[in-house]
């Protein structure tokens, strides 16, 4: 998991606002602060154990389960990163 976070932090430092990865089997929407530059690391999870995906609507990212329910109450945009 640390390797993915480091990769995401490096991409945010390069100027990317959002980094979306999969295959880590750890669904999450995580704020990234790369030396003052803010961004998001989004991991979609997987279809084998968590049955999760990310829904993007109007720049907002929501983790959802296969049946379309939000995985948790957290919905994130880059602007919400504090």
């Amino acid at each position: 998991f640390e390797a993915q976070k480091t990769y995401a932090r490096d991409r945010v430092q390069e100027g990317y606002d959002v980094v979306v990865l999969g295959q880590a089997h750890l669904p999450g929407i995580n704020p990234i602060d790369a030396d003052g530059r803010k961004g998001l690391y989004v991991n979609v999870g997987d279809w084998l154990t968590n049955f999760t995906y990310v829904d993007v609507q109007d720049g907002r990212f929501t983790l959802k389960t296969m049946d379309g329910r939000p995985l948790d109450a957290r919905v994130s945009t880059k602007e919400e990163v504090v």
Side-chain angles (χ1 to χ4, degrees):
F1 181 67
E2 283 304 313
Q4 290 86 356
K5 284 175 64 176
T6 298
Y7 178 85
R9 190 176 306 107
D10 290 347
R11 300 300 74 80
V12 169
Q13 249 179 341
E14 290 175 1
Y16 292 89
D17 293 327
V18 179
V19 179
V20 179
L21 299 174
Q23 297 298 337
H25 302 274
L26 298 169
I29 300 173
N30 304 284
I32 296 286
D33 186 334
D35 297 327
R37 180 158 171 64
K38 296 181 186 313
L40 290 177
Y41 161 43
V42 179
N43 192 296
V44 299
D46 65 90
W47 282 101
L48 300 175
T49 55
N50 295 296
F51 308 104
T52 54
Y53 67 97
V54 173
D55 182 38
V56 182
Q57 298 289 327
D58 298 320
R60 298 177 67 79
F61 297 81
T62 307
L63 280 168
K64 292 188 175 182
T65 58
M66 185 170 61
D67 61 6
R69 291 180 300 151
L71 183 64
D72 60 24
R74 184 173 36 182
V75 178
S76 295
T77 66
K78 179 182 170 257
E79 287 71 30
E80 293 172 352
V81 177
V82 288

